[in-house]
Amino acid sequence: MLDIKFIRENKDLVKKGVTDKQFDPSIVDEVLKVDEERKKLQLEVEELRSERNKVAKAGKPQPSEASRGKEIKENLKKLEPEFDKVDTKFLELLNQIPNLPLPNVPVGKNESENVEIKKVGEIRKLNFTPKDHLELGTKLGILDFETGAKVTGSQFYFLYGDGALLELALVQYAMELLSKEGFLPVITPDLAKSRFYLGTGYAPKGVEAQTYIVEGEDLGLIATAEVTLAGKHADEVIPENELPKKYIGYSHCFRQEAGAYGKYSKGMYRVHQFTKAEMFIYCKPEESEAMHQHILEMEEKIYQNLGLPYRVLEICTGDLGAMAARKYDIEAWMPGRNDYGEVTSTSNCTDYQARNLNIKYRKKDGKIEFVHMLNGTAIATSRTPLAILENYQNEDGSVTIPEVLRKWMGKEKVEKRNK
RNA sequence: GGUGAGGUCGCAUAGCGGACUAGUGCAGCGGUCUUGAAAACCGCCGUAGUCUUUUAAGGCUACCGUGGGUUCGAAUCCCACCCUCACCGCCA
């Protein structure tokens, strides 16, 4: 959420940001209106409580005071629920105001106005018609959606042999590279309490649209390790000298993806479960822009080393979503669709998530302030293997393994298995 | 899953209905002393919200695992839940 004080004092600025994000700016006026109501009620409640405390402090049973005390109690019994109701409504509305875009973010209505900031790598010219990853993987016997559908449901898959090894190799590659860059490798739980899968904004509006929820418990399957890594420091005050904290988290990710079908969702591009190595950084406000560039650099390094052609997009205001103040996506070339497709996304959420989760840091001078929080994909297995299969395919249907992964795969090429 | 013990201010502890405006110790910050340091001594030292106010400062409210309840008054009593520790059971 945003700081209500900031909203009170910068109404027009907030409205502009909200408008640029393609949210309805009237929400800002609504919040301020309910805020006034809330403050009024709060004052009444606090005055009553103050009197109650005085009466109580006067000591023993004095008959007249006791009856006044009873009266106050009755009044509070009516007023407090009223305040709670308004307060709840206030928070609900406040949470609907998205994070504001940073000043240099390109203004645009939707994804069509995202800005391509660079293109890297050369697209291989093939002298044969490329197959898509689904056909390649299925024929190689390493990818099996049919059994996934049988056992679990549509858009789930089994990996066999080199398919399984490729996923593990990618994760190990990313973990090794990033731990050398000062990121702490973390394996997190794959489930989290609702406070965290909601508090990180993964389901702020459509709520259950993305998240699988465990019946009878306050638990859901995480959509990304961002949820657990952000929850890790909830309600903490981090000493300044421990910042920045850099994590590379490993988890499985679960998304319902309700209604998300279509030709671009084919095969591994959009699935209900995948594995991901996710970078996550907590830092001081003044260094968050630099940290964001740092994450993007790491992502580029990974895709360069994997030898995958890609482009970098700066996401425009209208496509940022609620949490991000700035966002970059990397799209890798995917011959199967003859187009680029998203493989990573890195967001600077500034202090928006930190305010939801109450994560602060103590400065050297003793002052306490909210941290900035950033996240970025290192490897999303399903989409990265997809890009590898399609870009490294040979005419005979075999797939050459990228050099950096060979030490974990123990071979240079994936070929058809008999069994 | 069962039984028992426990969750109090950064840490450690006290607290068993009205002297709690949550005490004490440690750590931290400032000072005196010292060539410097240590020690000793003195002072300061939670978070959030809100009101008065230009600021500064002060007042008020809430917070003793979480949520309810009893009472004029709850850290303290009652109920439910969560977590930690120990032992037992069950399992990779």
Side-chain angles (χ1 to χ4, degrees):
Chain A
M1 65 178 94
L2 290 183
D3 182 1
I4 182 62
K5 280 187 203 154
F6 182 84
I7 300 173
R8 284 179 199 145
E9 287 159 20
N10 301 276
K11 189 170 150 186
D12 293 333
L13 193 72
V14 173
K15 275 190 177 173
K16 180 177 187 312
V18 171
T19 307
D20 284 347
K21 273 208 169 179
Q22 301 295 306
F23 284 64
D24 183 357
S26 68
I27 187 77
V28 178
D29 292 318
E30 267 185 77
V31 165
L32 289 172
K33 200 179 118 220
V34 177
D35 179 44
E36 284 303 318
E37 256 180 78
R38 174 174 150 275
K39 280 203 297 192
K40 215 179 110 209
L41 269 172
Q42 182 182 359
L43 200 63
E44 282 181 53
V45 168
E46 285 186 358
E47 268 165 12
L48 266 179
R49 291 211 268 235
S50 174
E51 195 188 343
R52 174 194 64 190
N53 291 347
K54 268 181 209 139
V55 170
K57 207 185 297 181
K60 300 269 169 148
Q62 315 275 341
S64 66
E65 277 167 6
S67 69
R68 176 57 188 154
K70 222 164 214 168
E71 205 179 308
I72 293 171
K73 196 165 147 177
E74 291 307 312
N75 287 342
L76 274 175
K77 213 170 247 175
K78 266 183 255 151
L79 260 185
E80 278 174 339
E82 220 174 293
F83 170 76
D84 286 345
K85 214 174 119 194
V86 174
D87 191 45
T88 304
K89 187 175 167 200
F90 167 74
L91 282 172
E92 243 166 55
L93 289 170
L94 183 59
N95 274 311
Q96 283 174 37
I97 298 183
N99 197 3
L100 302 180
L102 288 172
N104 313 330
V105 173
V107 175
K109 280 194 177 52
N110 54 44
E111 66 198 41
S112 69
E113 295 185 61
N114 291 341
V115 178
E116 180 180 302
I117 52 181
K118 63 159 91 164
K119 239 178 203 164
V120 178
E122 230 165 273
I123 295 166
R124 252 175 87 211
K125 293 232 161 53
L126 302 174
N127 50 12
F128 57 92
T129 311
K131 303 180 179 69
D132 68 36
H133 70 283
L134 190 56
E135 185 181 349
L136 284 163
T138 306
K139 284 193 172 151
L140 285 166
I142 62 171
L143 174 63
D144 181 1
F145 271 89
E146 219 174 286
T147 307
K150 173 184 163 187
V151 174
T152 309
S154 84
Q155 293 185 295
F156 285 94
Y157 58 97
F158 278 62
L159 293 172
Y160 309 118
D162 290 331
L165 295 179
L166 178 61
E167 166 161 329
L168 294 174
L170 280 165
V171 169
Q172 293 195 68
Y173 164 64
M175 287 282 191
E176 184 186 84
L177 185 144
L178 290 166
S179 79
K180 281 182 189 154
E181 295 282 346
F183 290 79
L184 179 71
V186 186
I187 297 180
T188 86
D190 288 341
L191 294 99
K193 296 177 186 174
S194 60
R195 175 181 175 210
F196 301 114
Y197 64 73
L198 299 174
T200 45
Y202 234 81
K205 282 193 263 171
V207 191
E208 281 87 15
Q210 282 267 38
T211 309
Y212 289 99
I213 291 161
V214 178
E215 200 182 328
E217 304 216 37
D218 180 36
L219 281 177
L221 291 166
I222 60 175
T224 161
E226 181 191 336
V227 171
T228 40
L229 290 172
K232 179 172 160 31
H233 292 289
D235 299 319
E236 288 183 11
V237 179
I238 301 167
E240 178 173 350
N241 60 21
E242 287 180 24
L243 296 176
K245 279 185 180 290
K246 306 201 292 181
Y247 297 109
I248 171 68
Y250 168 94
S251 82
H252 298 108
C253 306
F254 303 86
R255 300 182 184 183
Q256 292 206 55
E257 305 285 7
Y261 293 91
K263 68 167 180 168
Y264 270 11
S265 304
K266 193 175 182 184
M268 297 177 93
Y269 193 77
R270 199 174 295 285
V271 287
H272 291 310
Q273 175 182 340
F274 57 98
T275 304
K276 184 153 63 81
E278 175 87 354
M279 290 176 267
F280 200 91
I281 295 183
Y282 294 83
C283 69
K284 295 186 268 188
E286 62 268 26
E287 60 188 9
S288 76
E289 287 262 56
M291 286 296 150
H292 201 194
Q293 295 303 319
H294 177 52
I295 291 177
L296 181 59
E297 247 171 67
M298 292 300 109
E299 291 178 341
E300 285 198 57
K301 193 167 173 183
I302 288 167
Y303 285 86
Q304 280 168 24
N305 289 353
L306 287 172
L308 295 170
Y310 66 87
R311 62 176 181 177
V312 179
L313 299 182
E314 162 136 35
I315 305 304
C316 74
T317 53
D319 195 27
L320 276 179
M323 305 292 292
R326 166 167 273 160
K327 188 194 277 192
Y328 301 100
D329 284 2
I330 290 184
E331 298 190 337
W333 179 250
M334 298 182 175
R337 61 163 69 176
N338 198 37
D339 197 359
Y340 289 93
E342 183 185 335
V343 285
T344 76
S345 182
T346 176
S347 300
N348 182 355
C349 296
T350 60
D351 60 359
Y352 192 85
Q353 265 181 338
R355 200 168 281 107
N356 289 348
L357 296 171
N358 189 29
I359 307 176
K360 301 173 180 177
Y361 76 106
R362 187 181 302 277
K363 296 199 212 178
K364 292 202 180 79
D365 65 10
K367 290 224 177 70
I368 290 179
E369 222 177 275
F370 286 107
V371 296
H372 277 200
M373 291 158 72
L374 305 96
N375 61 79
T377 321
I379 293 282
T381 74
S382 86
R383 287 194 184 173
T384 308
L386 177 162
I388 288 172
L389 289 179
E390 293 187 358
N391 281 282
Y392 279 88
Q393 64 179 295
N394 304 307
E395 190 163 11
D396 63 0
S398 67
V399 173
T400 305
I401 295 167
E403 191 117 14
V404 290
L405 300 179
R406 288 181 192 167
K407 76 176 193 193
W408 288 291
M409 300 284 292
K411 56 171 80 167
E412 293 178 16
K413 219 192 228 185
V414 182
E415 288 171 295
K416 189 168 165 50
R417 313 159 72 232
N418 293 322
K419 231 185 140 184

